[in-house]
């Protein structure tokens, strides 16, 4: 029997993806780091530059982080694009969409000194045109606002769904189901905004979930791009009745007859 595994022989992966790059991210990143977890933070470079802020209906001030703060804050995590100005995208032309995506990607790459590979759509509108623009701008994936409520990895990287929005009542139930699932390459992704943790008084709730997840030996913390690049590498594996051969450029892990194997690039492992 052959089972696909995540790096280092882990059966499952966990991840959070948070939007907007706001002041509450400082406390949230500290919480992730405390429990050894990873996040993807989706940023709007123009709003950071302008230090945009607004007042939530519950009275909480939501303020974008300054550009001189974010580089050190998000070290060890993934930074992705969330468009330049966080517009409603349903009425934008292709040229306008391309500008929002490409300029934000360029600005973030200049700021962080690394390739920005991911994109998360603002608000809840997504279309074939936006997906086309995401690809043309060179992003590896596009995360949409629709949830999957599933632990099965998505197969459309340009309509990528997280598992659950963090304010939903089913969050704890899904967390327990994730711990118990035997789904191959099980993946649990929580999406949200760190300011929700203030407005909904959710800090303790999220920390409790992080405590539970970090206490599981079979769960690997990963960013969105780490997950997607690993899944894409898995697609390059050749499997027959006699062997497994890794045609990708990275090590991949499998459980074969109850033994965990690291299969290095171009390596062939004969099934025992």
């Amino acid at each position: 029997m052959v089972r696909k595994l995540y790096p280092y022989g882990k059966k499952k992966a966990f991840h959070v993806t948070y939007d907007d790059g706001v002041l509450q991210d400082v406390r949230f990143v500290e919480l992730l780091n405390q429990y050894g977890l990873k996040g993807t933070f989706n940023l709007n470079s123009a709003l950071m530059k302008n230090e945009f802020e607004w007042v939530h209906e519950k009275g909480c001030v939501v303020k974008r982080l300054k550009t001189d703060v974010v580089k050190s804050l998000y070290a060890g995590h993934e930074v992705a694009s969330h468009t330049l100005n966080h517009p409603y995208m349903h009425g934008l032309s292709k040229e306008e969409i391309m500008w929002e995506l490409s300029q934000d990607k360029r600005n973030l790459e200049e700021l962080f000194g690394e390739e920005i590979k991911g994109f998360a759509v603002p608000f809840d509108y997504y279309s074939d045109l936006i997906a086309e623009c995401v690809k043309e701008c060179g992003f590896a994936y596009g995360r949409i606002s629709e949830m999957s409520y599933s632990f099965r990895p998505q197969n459309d990287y340009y309509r990528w769904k997280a598992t659950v929005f963090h304010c939903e009542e089913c969050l704890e139930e899904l967390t327990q189901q994730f711990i118990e699932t035997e789904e191959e390459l099980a993946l649990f992704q929580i999406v949200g905004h760190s300011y929700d943790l203030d407005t909904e008084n959710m800090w303790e709730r999220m920390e409790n979930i992080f405590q539970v997840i970090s206490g599981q030996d079979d769960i690997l913390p990963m960013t969105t791009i780490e997950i997607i690049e690993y899944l894409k590498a898995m697609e390059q594996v050749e499997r027959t009745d006699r062997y497994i051969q890794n045609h990708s450029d990275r090590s991949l892990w499998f459980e074969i007859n109850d033994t965990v194997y690291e299969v290095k690039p171009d390596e062939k492992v004969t099934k025992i």
Side-chain angles (χ1 to χ4, degrees), residues 195-207:
Y195 61 78
D196 293 330
L197 306 184
D198 275 346
T199 62
E200 306 302 322
N201 193 25
M202 286 178 53
W203 287 102
E204 183 177 357
R205 183 186 190 197
M206 290 303 298
E207 182 167 5

Side-chain angles (χ1 to χ4, degrees), residues 40 78 80 117-119 134 139-143 157-158 224-225 228:
T40 295
E78 179 191 2
K117 299 179 180 181
F119 171 75
V134 173
F139 292 107
Y141 69 87
R143 195 212 78 205
Y157 301 120
Y158 292 95
T224 308
I225 191 59
I228 285 176

